Amino acid sequence: MGCCETQRNNTCCSTICGCEDEIHSTEKRKIVIDFMYLDLSICTRCQGTEDSLEEAIADVAKVLELTGAEVVVNKIHIDSKEKAIQYRFESSPTIRINGKDIQLEIKESLCESCGDLCGDEVDCRVWVYKGKEYNVPPKAMIIDAILREIYSNNELSGNGKQSKEKEYEIPENLKRFFDSMGQKDV
């Protein structure tokens, strides 16, 4: 029996027993999910990714509650080169959990929806999960990423800040998209 188990109240006995960690660990762990996209009105990949993300969060809601995790979802419309630079946006759509992209390798293919939107050929993200390629991330892929973050013991996420060691340059594909959108507005 631990030293605090002998007491009937929730105060620690002030000895070095480690029980204070249990008492003070009721603080919720924050899971910040950034969903970044180019378009939700036309792009089927962005729409499908939003749906998969919402379904994944709903499916793991009980686990999140039981682990004391608080989830914050930020839906960020990347509608300019400036925003792309600000968020270090690599490909659309993107899901980051505590600042880390759930898909480490960027793979893209022609996206007809975004091409129709801007009037040029544009590539959007292809998700690779368990050796297969998808235009929309499978719900299981998102759940795996959320659970890995919940159960990881490291604090390497830097409070949701993306590492800025590597110099960011907006990808050519996104430059072309924003340039084409700008020409449509003229």
Side-chain angles (χ1 to χ4, degrees):
M1 184 177 316
C3 64
C4 291
E5 292 176 86
T6 60
Q7 298 184 15
R8 295 286 178 219
N9 58 24
N10 286 334
T11 60
C12 185
C13 59
S14 300
T15 62
I16 310 294
C17 65
C19 60
E20 67 277 358
D21 294 335
E22 294 172 25
I23 294 169
H24 298 295
S25 68
T26 58
E27 187 176 309
K28 285 191 177 246
R29 181 164 183 200
K30 190 174 260 185
I31 305 292
V32 178
I33 301 174
D34 293 324
F35 166 52
M36 295 175 275
Y37 58 91
L38 290 176
D39 176 77
L40 285 176
S41 64
I42 294 175
C43 181
T44 55
R45 293 187 195 192
C46 290
Q47 293 167 348
T49 300
E50 179 184 42
D51 292 344
S52 283
L53 177 60
E54 289 173 356
E55 290 173 18
I57 292 169
D59 283 359
V60 297
K62 191 67 175 170
V63 172
L64 296 170
E65 178 186 331
L66 292 171
T67 59
E70 175 188 355
V71 174
V72 176
V73 178
N74 300 312
K75 294 183 181 184
I76 305 163
H77 182 199
I78 306 294
D79 58 0
S80 67
K81 285 182 187 177
E82 294 75 27
K83 264 195 178 172
I85 292 166
Q86 175 187 353
Y87 288 98
R88 301 174 65 82
F89 192 58
E90 295 289 337
S91 184
S92 182
T94 291
I95 298 173
R96 290 184 189 149
I97 299 179
N98 288 347
K100 295 175 282 198
D101 199 318
I102 69 167
Q103 180 78 70
L104 298 178
E105 179 186 348
I106 304 291
K107 189 166 186 172
E108 297 175 318
S109 68
L110 184 65
C111 178
E112 293 178 6
S113 301
C114 285
D116 291 345
L117 180 67
C118 74
D120 198 351
E121 287 192 355
V122 176
D123 292 336
C124 285
R125 185 179 292 246
V126 173
W127 304 87
V128 179
Y129 182 65
K130 295 191 176 185
K132 292 185 180 179
E133 293 184 2
Y134 302 87
N135 285 341
V136 171
K139 184 172 53 168
M141 176 186 195
I142 300 169
I143 290 171
D144 283 352
I146 292 170
L147 293 177
R148 265 194 317 275
E149 188 63 26
I150 288 172
Y151 291 113
S152 71
N153 240 356
N154 60 25
E155 293 298 324
L156 299 176
S157 63
N159 294 328
K161 298 289 184 200
Q162 185 86 346
S163 170
K164 295 191 181 186
E165 293 173 14
K166 187 180 107 177
E167 185 71 27
Y168 174 81
E169 188 174 321
I170 189 168
E172 284 299 320
N173 184 46
L174 293 173
K175 282 184 192 174
R176 195 169 57 252
F177 175 82
F178 291 120
D179 288 346
S180 296
M181 289 299 287
Q183 289 175 359
K184 281 184 73 173
D185 292 339
V186 174

